[in-house]
Amino acid sequence: MNANKARFGSLRRVALFGLLCASQPALAELPEPVRAMIVAAVATGDPAKVHTVADLARQTNPAETAEIDALVAAFETDFAARKAAEAEAHRAALREADLFDNWNGKGELGGFRATGNTNNTGVTASLSLNREEIDWRHRFTARVDYQRTGGVTTREQFLARYEPNVNISDRFYVYALAQYERDRFQGFEGRYAISGGMGYQALKKDDVQLSVKAGPAYRVTEFVDGRSESRIAGLIALDFDWNITDKLKLTQDTNAVAETGGSAVAIIDSRNTTIDFVTGLDAAIAKKLKARVSYAVEYDSNPPPGAVQTDTLSRITLIYDF
């Protein structure tokens, strides 16, 4: 079905292209083989290919430059109209979507090696959900790291985070954040944080994206010894993603897309500053399946007695997109 749809799209582009060309004033006759190459490039719907073929055609047929320019202009007119129609259709679909529509996400499962408060290997699992609206975005993340050795639990860490944000301009947005953590080996049964503030999309390209955000926060920590603390704090966060290449050869039969990304979240208060830094490298091994290698650093400036300041976690996981 997808192949038929692609062929239909190519035929439609060529037909529209022909109609647009027919409306152009009569110009010098372009050799048929050259015209056929331009039509073939148009059928792909790829502006880069069209411009590359057109540049070569101008070099080999300088007398017909005006006609070549007219053909390219006809393609660009059709391309711009199609993109505008697709964008409007996408916005209409977002406007009409109900609460349970337009969610996508990924599940992650694998192993890890930890150093710091514990030195062992174990299992890690996570779930990420995202929903895009016209101006709003919703992000939910849950993660579990668990290890049991000789009948004794040696690592038990839980994290859940929900963040809605809304665009107020092309670059700026307002965010809210609610987060829950549990890590007995770092000395707390539960740590709850809420925050809200401003974010800025510093880089917004197809291959590189960088956003930063900051705002006040309020945090409640319940320690394993029964104590509890409530603190006013501040949150600073960074999120970076970089598509290194479109295709990376991993094996003879596998094409992969390599991506690297990192995130850092720091919650700062007068008694205990925490930093959560994660960086990773993804490689696609199938349409919806990726392998991921990541490294995490978790830092507490003032941990409970018996706990160290810094934990590190190296993960090797498989990710399934849905």
Side-chain angles (χ1 to χ4, degrees):
M1 181 178 293
N2 289 335
N4 290 334
K5 185 176 180 181
R7 284 194 293 271
F8 176 77
S10 297
L11 292 173
R12 179 180 175 275
R13 284 191 289 270
V14 172
L16 290 172
F17 176 70
L19 291 174
L20 288 166
C21 291
S23 66
Q24 302 297 323
L27 300 169
E29 186 66 26
L30 190 65
E32 187 57 35
V34 177
R35 181 185 293 274
M37 285 194 303
I38 297 176
V39 170
V42 166
T44 68
D46 185 345
K49 291 182 179 180
V50 172
H51 287 288
T52 298
V53 172
D55 288 342
L56 292 173
R58 292 187 187 97
Q59 294 176 23
T60 56
N61 300 270
E64 285 77 34
T65 297
E67 184 174 3
I68 295 169
D69 290 344
L71 296 176
V72 173
F75 166 76
E76 290 176 339
T77 299
D78 174 55
F79 184 80
R82 286 190 292 109
K83 285 298 181 182
E86 290 171 2
E88 180 55 36
H90 180 64
R91 292 177 65 87
L94 291 178
R95 284 193 294 267
E96 297 170 2
D98 61 31
L99 180 62
F100 299 101
D101 290 336
N102 297 331
W103 286 93
N104 60 75
K106 60 185 179 182
E108 185 173 355
L109 180 65
F112 65 82
R113 180 178 183 274
T115 64
N117 290 311
T118 59
N119 290 273
N120 50 49
T121 57
V123 176
T124 182
S126 71
L127 174 69
S128 299
L129 298 174
N130 298 279
R131 186 175 193 263
E132 297 283 341
E133 300 178 15
I134 295 176
D135 293 316
W136 283 85
R137 291 181 299 275
H138 301 267
R139 297 174 181 173
F140 173 79
T141 302
R143 188 180 70 232
V144 177
D145 294 317
Y146 185 79
Q147 173 68 35
R148 191 170 179 84
T149 303
V152 178
T153 300
T154 55
R155 185 175 187 90
E156 187 181 62
Q157 185 182 61
F158 302 91
L159 170 70
R161 180 186 296 139
Y162 170 60
E163 180 187 342
N165 62 61
V166 59
N167 294 327
I168 57 175
S169 72
D170 185 52
R171 295 279 185 172
F172 287 94
Y173 61 91
V174 175
Y175 79 90
L177 176 71
Q179 179 174 296
Y180 166 76
E181 301 171 85
R182 180 185 177 188
D183 191 336
R184 292 169 46 233
F185 294 93
Q186 283 189 331
F188 56 89
E189 288 285 351
R191 187 156 63 188
Y192 310 84
I194 57 173
S195 177
M198 293 289 297
Y200 177 68
Q201 190 82 33
L203 293 174
K204 197 175 182 181
K205 300 180 180 180
D206 291 339
D207 58 342
V208 180
Q209 295 189 6
L210 172 66
S211 64
V212 293
K213 64 186 176 213
Y218 179 72
R219 181 163 63 175
V220 177
T221 304
E222 298 175 348
F223 296 97
V224 293
D225 61 8
R227 294 180 299 115
S228 178
E229 287 186 352
S230 301
R231 296 261 179 189
I232 299 295
L235 181 142
I236 302 173
L238 176 148
D239 191 3
F240 173 74
D241 291 294
W242 175 28
N243 295 334
I244 299 175
T245 180
D246 289 336
K247 290 189 177 182
L248 173 66
K249 202 73 169 181
L250 293 184
T251 68
Q252 183 178 355
D253 300 319
T254 304
N255 286 328
V257 177
E259 301 176 352
T260 185
S263 63
V265 178
I267 299 181
I268 303 168
D269 66 37
S270 59
R271 185 179 186 277
N272 186 25
T273 294
T274 63
I275 300 174
D276 183 5
F277 177 82
V278 181
T279 188
L281 178 67
D282 300 349
I285 55 180
K287 184 177 181 181
K288 294 188 176 183
L289 187 66
K290 293 184 289 187
R292 178 176 176 83
V293 178
S294 63
Y295 183 75
V297 178
E298 298 170 3
Y299 170 81
D300 278 279
S301 65
N302 188 20
V308 300
Q309 288 184 322
T310 304
D311 266 1
T312 65
L313 199 63
S314 300
R315 297 182 177 96
I316 300 175
T317 54
L318 290 175
I319 301 174
Y320 181 77
D321 296 325
F322 57 88

